[in-house]
Amino acid sequence: MKYTTVITGSLLTLCLFPRATHAQNSRDSAAIRQAALDYIESQHKPDPGQMARGIHPRLVKRTFWKYAKQPREYLRESHADEMILLAASYNANNDKFPPNPRKEVVLLDVSSNTASVKLYADTWIDYMHLVKLNDEWKIVNVLWQFNDPQRHQ
C-alpha cells in the first residue's frame, strides 16, 4: 500500500510539475520579436541594414506560385541577399503599405535555441523559424502567403 502511494504521488508530481525545459525568457522573447520586426519594418522604411540585422545569411524564404497561363504550381524561393536588396527598394516610393502598417508578431513556440513565429502583415502572413547563435536570434526560414491566394501568380 505504501509503495503504491509513493508511485502514485510521484506520478502525480511529474504530471503537475513537469521537468524544466529550455523555454523562453523575457530577453529571448524580446529578441525574437525584434528580429521579426526588423524583417517587416525594413520593408516599410526601406532599410537594408535593418533587414540584415534580423536575418541569418543563409535565410531561405519560400512561397507557392502559379504560372499565370498554366495550372502548374511551383515553390518560389528568395535568399538573404535578395531580401536585403528588396528591403532597399521595395517601398522606395512609399506606396506598398498603409500609413500605419500591420505588424503583429505571435510567438508560436520557443525553445532554448529555436523558435517559430507567425507574422501578420497587411496583405500576407509569414511563418518564421529562428535560431539563436552566439546569443543572437536570427530568422533562418520564412514560409509566406498572401491573404488572397489568387495573388500568387
Side-chain angles (χ1 to χ4, degrees):
M1 184 79 157
K2 273 187 176 180
Y3 183 71
T4 304
T5 304
V6 170
I7 291 175
T8 304
S10 297
L11 289 174
L12 184 59
T13 301
L14 286 173
C15 292
L16 293 176
F17 305 103
R19 289 182 2 192
T21 60
H22 299 287
Q24 72 191 65
N25 61 45
S26 60
R27 191 172 77 107
D28 283 332
S29 296
I32 292 164
R33 276 185 204 289
Q34 189 59 57
L37 290 172
D38 284 343
Y39 167 89
I40 191 65
E41 289 175 351
S42 69
Q43 296 174 64
H44 294 158
K45 290 180 186 169
D47 186 343
Q50 186 176 14
M51 176 67 80
R53 187 173 62 228
I55 64 175
H56 189 276
R58 296 195 52 197
L59 169 125
V60 179
K61 179 178 176 177
R62 294 180 175 98
T63 192
F64 65 94
W65 213 256
K66 290 185 208 177
Y67 290 104
K69 297 182 181 186
Q70 298 178 12
R72 185 171 171 237
E73 293 180 320
Y74 66 99
L75 195 61
R76 186 174 177 181
E77 290 187 353
S78 302
H79 297 88
D81 55 348
E82 295 167 284
M83 293 306 298
I84 292 167
L85 290 171
L86 176 82
S89 61
Y90 182 67
N91 197 30
N93 296 327
N94 203 27
D95 60 353
K96 303 290 187 191
F97 297 97
N100 294 308
R102 184 177 184 191
K103 50 184 179 181
E104 181 183 345
V105 178
V106 178
L107 277 57
L108 301 174
D109 187 58
V110 178
S111 295
S112 60
N113 289 73
T114 59
S116 292
V117 169
K118 185 174 184 178
L119 170 68
Y120 294 92
D122 293 292
T123 59
W124 70 82
I125 58 169
D126 292 287
Y127 291 95
M128 302 175 170
H129 289 137
L130 292 89
V131 65
K132 183 179 181 182
L133 296 170
N134 303 311
D135 209 33
E136 290 185 329
W137 286 95
K138 300 287 185 175
I139 302 166
V140 293
N141 293 312
V142 177
L143 178 63
W144 74 277
Q145 83 165 64
F146 285 114
N147 295 331
D148 176 6
Q150 298 302 315
R151 291 188 61 193
H152 285 269
Q153 43 184 327

